[in-house]
Amino acid sequence: FNHGRIEQLAPPRELYDRPGTSFVARFVGSSNVFEGAFAARLSGQAQPFAVRAEHITALAAGAALPDAHVDCTGTLLDVQFHGATSRWQVQVEGMVIAAEPRGVAAPEPGATIRLAWRRAAMVPLAMESPR
């Protein structure tokens, strides 16, 4: 529910993997939500989309972008240790992106980071309507 209105009715796995709106994407598992000009630049469409942190990896400097991937560059703000994983907070074009790169040593905060994810991990979201 969002302000008394049902946002999406679906089984838990679908809510997590395929949220329909930015509210559901942020509420169920804290997904990264890309909107506006930044979303359009990355996807080629003006429609917002979500990407889960576990689908985002860090690319080494100078590494080729894998086929069917999208990338962006930002500044590492913080690394949060979560036992088997770490969550990186990266400032990119006015938003903070959460990423969970696996098998990659975290550089020091302030470092420039190149993030990438598969296009298939980008979940299109419904355009928000005014309340």
Side-chain angles (χ1 to χ4, degrees), residues 28-47:
V28 180
S30 313
S31 190
N32 295 292
V33 174
F34 297 81
E35 299 172 301
F38 188 34
R41 186 175 65 72
L42 293 172
S43 69
Q45 300 177 20
Q47 182 176 16

Side-chain angles (χ1 to χ4, degrees), residues 31-80:
S31 190
N32 295 292
V33 174
F34 297 81
E35 299 172 301
F38 188 34
R41 186 175 65 72
L42 293 172
S43 69
Q45 300 177 20
Q47 182 176 16
F49 66 88
V51 178
R52 295 279 175 205
E54 62 266 24
H55 295 299
I56 301 175
T57 190
L59 296 178
L65 182 65
D67 288 340
H69 279 64
V70 173
D71 71 333
C72 61
T73 302
T75 303
L76 182 65
L77 299 176
D78 190 30
V79 176
Q80 301 153 351

